[in-house]
């Protein structure tokens, strides 16, 4: 599993998550070194959008988020996944498959993922993020059900 963050202004490096991601690991390996600095670089209006995965909602992570004064988007339980990062991951997988032969090993796959992650055009990322409002509107119009997104 890899983790990455995007905004209209920057993207984090991809982070290779080895093993199970716990709340403590999410805090120590992703939030502290990658997310907080990225949000600070974006500015005071930056918002963290994660989902309801157990590591994201652990007590330790919630405490850390509050102490670090991170603005976090509320994410209702059982909501459809409208997170733009999911579409970024789809794009990343397509780019790796289009531009590379099957990887010989995990190291090669990680190298290609990072390369393609860095090469996804900023305009593509901005379009994903700018479409967030419309995603939410469509979801509500469909009684929180399936949309084309």
């Amino acid at each position: 599993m890899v983790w990455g963050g995007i905004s209209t202004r920057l993207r984090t490096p991809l982070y290779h998550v080895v093993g199970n991601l716990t709340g403590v690991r999410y805090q120590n390996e992703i939030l502290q070194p990658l997310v907080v600095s990225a949000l600070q670089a974006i500015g005071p209006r930056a918002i963290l959008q994660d989902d309801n995965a157990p590591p994201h909602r652990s007590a330790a992570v919630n405490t850390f988020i509050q102490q670090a004064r991170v603005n976090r988007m509320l994410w209702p339980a059982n909501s459809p996944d409208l997170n733009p990062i999911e579409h970024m991951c789809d794009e990343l997988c397509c780019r790796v498959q289009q531009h590379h032969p099957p990887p010989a090993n995990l190291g090669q796959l990680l190298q290609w993922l990072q390369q393609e992650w860095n090469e996804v055009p900023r305009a593509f990322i901005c379009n994903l993020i700018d479409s967030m409002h419309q995603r939410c509107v469509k979801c509500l119009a469909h009684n929180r059900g399936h949309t084309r997104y």
Side-chain angles (χ1 to χ4, degrees), residues 82 134-135 137-142 144-149:
L82 301 174
Q134 189 62 24
R135 292 169 193 270
V137 167
K138 293 282 188 183
C139 181
L140 291 172
H142 288 90
R144 298 185 178 100
H146 179 74
T147 69
R148 70 176 185 88
Y149 294 106

Side-chain angles (χ1 to χ4, degrees), residues 67-123:
Q67 290 173 346
R69 296 187 175 156
V70 169
N71 296 320
R72 183 190 232 176
M73 180 182 283
L74 297 177
W75 204 254
N78 300 317
S79 64
D81 195 345
L82 301 174
N83 195 332
I85 198 70
E86 299 299 332
H87 295 282
M88 180 68 168
C89 290
D90 291 342
E91 175 69 10
L92 182 60
C93 290
C94 288
R95 291 176 67 90
V96 168
Q97 290 175 350
Q98 288 173 355
H99 300 142
H100 304 278
N105 55 50
L106 179 60
Q108 190 175 58
L109 175 60
L110 293 171
Q111 178 184 359
W112 291 343
L113 286 168
Q114 185 65 63
Q115 175 187 341
E116 295 299 336
W117 174 262
N118 293 339
E119 293 176 3
V120 172
R122 184 170 173 252

Side-chain angles (χ1 to χ4, degrees), residues 4-144:
I6 57 173
S7 79
T8 56
R9 295 179 49 199
L10 59 84
R11 71 189 88 187
T12 68
L14 281 182
Y15 177 75
H16 177 214
V17 178
V18 178
N20 292 328
L21 184 64
T22 63
V24 170
R25 287 190 61 209
Y26 180 60
Q27 176 185 329
N28 294 336
E29 298 173 26
I30 295 172
L31 289 176
Q32 284 178 345
L34 300 172
V35 173
V36 172
S37 60
L39 292 173
Q40 289 170 344
I42 294 166
R45 294 183 50 185
I47 299 172
L48 171 64
Q49 181 183 1
D50 54 13
D51 57 24
N52 289 323
H56 301 166
R57 297 296 182 225
S58 72
V61 166
N62 288 335
T63 299
F64 174 79
I65 293 277
Q66 289 174 353
Q67 290 173 346
R69 296 187 175 156
V70 169
N71 296 320
R72 183 190 232 176
M73 180 182 283
L74 297 177
W75 204 254
N78 300 317
S79 64
D81 195 345
L82 301 174
N83 195 332
I85 198 70
E86 299 299 332
H87 295 282
M88 180 68 168
C89 290
D90 291 342
E91 175 69 10
L92 182 60
C93 290
C94 288
R95 291 176 67 90
V96 168
Q97 290 175 350
Q98 288 173 355
H99 300 142
H100 304 278
N105 55 50
L106 179 60
Q108 190 175 58
L109 175 60
L110 293 171
Q111 178 184 359
W112 291 343
L113 286 168
Q114 185 65 63
Q115 175 187 341
E116 295 299 336
W117 174 262
N118 293 339
E119 293 176 3
V120 172
R122 184 170 173 252
F124 178 85
I125 296 169
C126 290
N127 184 52
L128 288 177
I129 293 168
D130 291 343
S131 71
M132 191 65 203
H133 174 77
Q134 189 62 24
R135 292 169 193 270
C136 293
V137 167
K138 293 282 188 183
C139 181
L140 291 172
H142 288 90
N143 295 320
R144 298 185 178 100

